[in-house]
């Protein structure tokens, strides 16, 4: 049995995971951006104890304990290096955890955990090289090569969202302008919608938000696309133009066997995936003369972080 823990901005979620990647039992505690690593580490230990107690297990029954954390982590030294939405900076989480539970825990970036889970048990199962990209409020990305996370020499990779696709484009949170992330997150989609709707009030979206453009969200846009609203279709088409540029860059750099798309935007399913695949196929290097990545929707979604963290020591 394995234990995986996912540290999120509002909750810390943990699961007891079996060797087939199924979550057998769960435990959760609230979290927030002001808590320090000592409080968080104690929670991690308490969650492990809860899960073991609930299944009448002891540490000798556990094959691995892993923790997924936003931002940069270094498993070699057991530290969360930097997480900008949590109060973590060079936080020695492993050492603190081991004060409560003497066990070798692994720590890893949460997007890398999700990528590992999809590679082991989800949409990229069996792929030699897979990349999982989470499209939500930010872009998370993880590269898995031969069942191992590839995170660069400094363990801080991979930041695929921070490659520039529009020189002098809008400012990104990383300090550069025009990053893939700026255009491909939910906010990127909403920004396109706001721009178009300023001069096109004849749209389902405009009616849905009673003219208040600050109320637009991804669901409203995709519902309007399903209703064949012309403006919504145009918003999606512009969004996919940018998204496909970023995905083609990733394909051309790394030639993965599978690209998995997760996160809130990917939940819109085929109306998003099928046109995206066509755009990528048109632009990717060497076109149909060489085999290319199969682009698939994520299967494990919200559980991917827990399952991937559980597999870190496998
Ligand atoms: Zn950036």
């Amino acid at each position: 049995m394995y234990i995986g823990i996912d540290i999120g901005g509002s909750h810390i979620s943990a699961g007891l995971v079996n060797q087939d990647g199924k979550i057998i039992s769960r435990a959760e505690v609230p979290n927030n951006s002001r808590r320090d690593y000592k409080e968080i580490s104690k929670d991690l230990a308490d969650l492990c104890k809860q899960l073991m107690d609930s299944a009448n297990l002891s540490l000798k029954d556990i094959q691995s304990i892993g923790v997924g954390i936003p931002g940069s982590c270094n498993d070699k030294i057991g530290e969360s290096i930097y997480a900008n939405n949590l109060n973590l900076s060079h936080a020695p989480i492993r050492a603190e955890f081991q004060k409560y539970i003497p066990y070798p825990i692994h720590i890893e970036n949460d997007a890398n955990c999700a990528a590992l889970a999809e590679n082991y048990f989800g949409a990229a199962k069996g792929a030699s090289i897979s990349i999982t990209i989470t499209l939500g409020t930010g872009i998370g990305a993880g590269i898995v090569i031969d069942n191992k996370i590839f995170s660069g020499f400094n363990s801080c990779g991979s930041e695929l969202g921070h490659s520039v696709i529009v020189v002098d484009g809008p400012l990104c949170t990383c300090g550069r302008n025009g990053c893939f992330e700026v255009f491909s997150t939910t906010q990127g989609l909403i920004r396109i919608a706001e721009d178009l709707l300023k001069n096109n009030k004849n749209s389902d979206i405009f009616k849905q938000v009673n003219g208040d453009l600050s109320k637009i969200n991804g669901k409203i846009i995709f519902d309007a696309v399903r209703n064949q609203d012309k403006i919504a279709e145009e918003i999606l088409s512009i969004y996919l133009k940018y998204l496909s540029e970023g995905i083609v860059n990733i394909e051309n750099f790394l030639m993965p066997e599978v690209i998995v798309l997760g996160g809130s935007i990917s939940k819109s399913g085929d109306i998003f995936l099928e046109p995206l695949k066509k755009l990528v196929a048109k632009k990717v290097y060497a076109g149909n003369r060489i085999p290319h990545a199969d682009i698939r929707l994520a299967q494990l979604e919200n559980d991917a972080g827990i399952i991937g963290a559980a597999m870190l020591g496998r």
Side-chain angles (χ1 to χ4, degrees), residues 16 35 43 51 53 57 65-66 83 103 105 115 119 122 136 150 197 227 232 246-247 249 257 267 276 281 301 314:
L16 198 59
R35 301 170 76 223
D43 279 349
L51 288 171
D53 288 348
L57 300 174
I65 300 175
Y103 195 89
I105 67 162
N119 194 269
F150 174 82
L197 286 163
N227 290 331
I247 296 208
N249 286 344
E257 192 177 350
K267 290 192 176 118
L276 175 68
E301 287 295 349
R314 181 149 158 171

Side-chain angles (χ1 to χ4, degrees), residues 154-177:
N154 53 11
S155 307
C156 296
S158 54
E159 292 299 338
L160 301 180
H162 298 287
S163 59
V164 169
I165 59 171
V166 177
V167 173
D168 296 331
L171 183 65
C172 179
T173 53
C174 76
R176 294 175 86 191
N177 289 77

